[in-house]
Amino acid sequence: MELAYVCEWEKRPKSTHCPSIPLVCSWSCRNLVAFTTDLKNEDDDKDVSHMIHIIDTEHPWDVYSISSGHTEVISCLEWDQSGSRLLSADGDGQIKCWSMSDHLVNSWESVLSSSLDGDPIVALSWLHNGVKLALHVEMSGSTNFGEKFSRVKFSPSLTLFGGKPMEGWMAVTVSGLVTVSLLKPGSTLLTASESLCRLRGRVALADIAFTGGGNIVVAATDGSSSSPVQFYKVVVSVVSEKCRIDTELLPSLFLRCTTDPLRREKYPAVTHLKFLTRENSEQVLLCASNQTGSIVECWSLRKEGLPVNNIFQHRSPVVGEKQPTILKWRILTTTNDLERVSAVALPKLPISISNTDLKVASDTKFCPGLGLALAFHDGSIQILHRLSLHTMGVFYGSSSSNQRPGDESAIKRQRTGGPALHFKALQFSWTSLALAGVDNHGKLHMLRVSPSMGQVLEMNTTLRHLLFLLEYCMVTGYDWWDVLLHVQPSMVHNLVEKLHEEYMRQNQALQQVLATRIVAVKASLCKLSTATAARACDFHAKLLLIAISSTLKSLLRPHVLNTPDKTPGDRLTEICAKNTDTDIDKVMINLKTEEFVLDGPPLQSLQQLIQWVGDFVLYLLANLPNQGSMVRPGFGFMRDGASLGMLREMLVMIRIWGLLKPGCLPTFTATSDNQDSMQLLFRLLTKLWLCSRDDGPPQEPDESLIDECCLLPSQLLVPSMDWLPVNDGIIVKLQGKHPLRLQFGKASSLPGGSAAPLEVFTRSPGSQKMDNLRCVHMGVCPTEESKACTRCGCVTMLRSPNKTNAMKQWEQRWIKNCLCGGLWRRIPSTLT
């Protein structure tokens, strides 16, 4: 485990971080990290600004800071299951729901709030939506994604008509109240509060978990290790348009350390209380501490037989009668005396903990999801096995790792210079391959967590582990940024090939669902190595090609209503696949041209997309003679029969539309006035497509085709294709082992990569800026506000310059996400 980067919070003038205030950190499934800092004015101790900061991990310097409006210290931050909304709660009972403004990760607004005035919140959670996956390590070698990642039967916390889950959140307060807020249609809240039990008492710590039956379990303690840890079942329902909360007391437990005569008074306070996973209310982690040390215990709820009095032992048993059982907490394991724990992080990866899965994980050294992290006051972090609590890995903090053994002066400086650097908040990423933490000086740290916890593995085993997690991200839709942290350039080619092989083994329906997602994963992988960087261009172009093809085909309408099952787009694909003629007009004759009749405005407004298709075909054919190596962009299309066939279909569509509306045709600069550019490109493209059709063995392009392509630049002006924007993210900088130190708001301080960038990725200062989604030039110094994808760097204008419905429909497809599925961030004006 090693430090990936440290982001230093740029302190405001006359403001210092207050180390005594607790910090909170939360990591979403879309790789957005939210954390808090509380800055107090030196002149007035009461003037404290409670800030929430949100970053995407690919651009950690571009922080969006929210003056939260909370009047007390923020005690909880919770992302929803989609990673697009955030809850914050404070010590005054205020709960706020934040959502993206214009779907931008660096623009947030508070849309909803609830309040229990003066009652501090100690635990907060979104209600469960009923979606639960189990990840089976035992089946990692299976060819079926459904066997590797199985859907577990799990009921939502509250269902609407038809079984649809109702959204909302619940919180536990320090006075023993549980409050629930339900999101009704129309963005209104339905709120109710109820006492956890009849005798309300102080709740210092609490946590929330969910059961498969739709119930909610709350664990609570008053903070004293000599008091019992209480558990409550909470059932939420809606009766007569009102929210109703029913609570029930469950079996409680006493910490083992309080029953041990040697430790009875040693650890007086319970400092951490966590369910091991959000969907498992039967395992709980407890940490008791004193001023200098801590002890951690893991407990499990088990069903046990109830002993029967001897009087009834000799009674003849009734047929079918079973021994009565009772639920009882049993301690699984406990640690030895530890350094004082300052923060706890639990894994989010839903790894199955059946005996066979645990054995396979142990044999193959697959550790993600099996370890929990403990941060200590000496600055170190330990990863412990979530069940046995034995140490799996150790990270020594920057303060301790920089000093040599026996360096007494460094130790003295540390003691006299104030409190040692340690983490006050810690969070695992969603694949458990990275840790984010905020230290007591207000700095954000990011750490890599090895999939094997640093154990040396064979290359094939390492690749299999990373492939398994990439497949999990593909199936769930979670961001795979933290998996890329562990991909070395030498692994990229093998990972891309193996990922494609596994994808092709899935059934046709699942392949269609994952079609664009796998292309986005491949593009992300290929950017990590200079040997495969050009293929990232091809994958990005393929995403745009698929999107344009589906959009243009969606414009086609059947001529009569009682048509067969096949759509006009399907018939176009079928006819173009059967007809291998190189003459575009002969292919066009076989189509029902009445299905292509459209009004003029839609075609004219989509001209820039049509132009991109024409330019792309010309670029591919003109570069065919130069494709001697895989370094050049476009190589991936030379053997891709499906993509070439898609381009061929679109040329036929465009040819027909050109007869109806000549203004929509792509414009080519030809050297001859009587040159039929579309006819020429279609003929050459068909010849290339015939060499790589799926229904026959791949063939090398013949000499005559290559000769004709060599002549293309003398017949038509070949455009430069800037289809991949420059990605200024951090992931390509993290291949080395040395930690990076960044500063918020200063992207220029980012060191350059070790390898020289490819020519296709370089842009001169005076080059035209491209809108990569609308396929138009924005000028050298764009005046329009822009947004960029957090994953691939795709740039597009924030506001639409088009008024036509057809172009609005195209732009509406990318309102929430980029082509690759990444989130949007507003580009700061200084970087535009």
Side-chain angles (χ1 to χ4, degrees), residues 121-170:
I121 307 294
V122 293
L124 180 67
S125 175
W126 289 89
L127 297 182
H128 204 284
N129 62 357
V131 177
K132 183 186 177 185
L133 277 181
L135 184 142
H136 300 282
V137 184
E138 180 194 7
M139 305 302 294
S140 59
S142 171
T143 58
N144 187 351
F145 284 173
E147 293 177 352
K148 296 180 184 181
F149 320 109
S150 65
R151 179 79 179 260
V152 179
K153 189 176 181 181
F154 209 88
S155 298
S157 303
L158 186 62
T159 53
L160 296 168
F161 179 76
K164 182 183 177 183
M166 191 169 190
E167 293 184 309
W169 61 79
M170 71 169 293

Side-chain angles (χ1 to χ4, degrees), residues 95 112-114 167-169 181-184 186-191:
I95 302 173
L112 295 164
S113 63
S114 62
E167 293 184 309
W169 61 79
S181 297
L182 304 176
L183 286 168
K184 293 174 64 179
S187 298
T188 57
L189 279 181
L190 193 63
T191 303

Side-chain angles (χ1 to χ4, degrees), residues 548 606-613 773-775 807 810:
I548 293 176
L606 295 172
Q607 199 276 332
Q608 63 255 37
L609 301 182
I610 294 172
Q611 182 71 46
W612 183 89
V613 173
L773 279 186
R774 297 182 178 90
C775 302
M807 203 59 200
W810 167 259

Side-chain angles (χ1 to χ4, degrees), residues 367-381:
C367 299
L370 287 178
L372 57 92
L374 299 180
F376 299 98
H377 274 260
D378 62 358
S380 65
I381 295 175

Side-chain angles (χ1 to χ4, degrees), residues 75-97:
S75 55
C76 303
L77 286 177
E78 283 292 323
W79 290 100
D80 71 346
Q81 289 86 349
S82 68
S84 58
R85 287 180 301 185
L86 179 69
L87 288 177
S88 62
D90 67 11
D92 192 40
Q94 304 288 328
I95 302 173
K96 295 192 175 188
C97 177

Side-chain angles (χ1 to χ4, degrees), residues 1 207 272-277 283-287 294-299 332-335 338 341-349 351 353 358 366-376 380-395 426-429 431-435 449-450 453:
M1 186 165 67
D207 199 19
H272 297 89
L273 164 63
K274 299 275 187 183
F275 285 106
L276 276 179
T277 63
Q283 289 181 332
V284 69
L285 188 81
L286 294 158
C287 175
S294 297
I295 190 168
V296 175
E297 298 177 0
C298 185
W299 290 74
L332 279 179
T333 184
T334 182
T335 63
L338 303 169
V341 174
S342 60
V344 177
L346 295 170
K348 298 184 178 77
L349 196 70
I351 187 169
I353 53 172
L358 288 174
F366 181 84
C367 299
L370 287 178
L372 57 92
L374 299 180
F376 299 98
S380 65
I381 295 175
Q382 285 190 28
I383 307 288
L384 306 182
H385 194 282
R386 56 188 279 186
L387 297 179
S388 65
L389 296 185
H390 70 257
T391 303
M392 300 170 71
V394 181
F395 166 76
L426 205 60
Q427 272 268 318
F428 268 112
S429 67
T431 60
S432 303
L433 292 185
L435 274 170
V449 182
S450 164
M453 288 298 164

Side-chain angles (χ1 to χ4, degrees), residues 25-57:
C25 178
S26 187
W27 195 326
S28 83
C29 62
R30 306 299 297 273
N31 276 322
L32 300 178
V33 175
F35 60 102
T36 63
T37 57
D38 296 275
L39 302 173
K40 69 175 183 179
N41 195 312
E42 290 178 346
D43 300 329
D44 183 6
D45 286 346
K46 295 181 181 179
D47 184 15
V48 180
S49 176
H50 306 289
M51 305 290 293
I52 300 174
H53 311 287
I54 299 174
I55 64 165
D56 75 273
T57 52

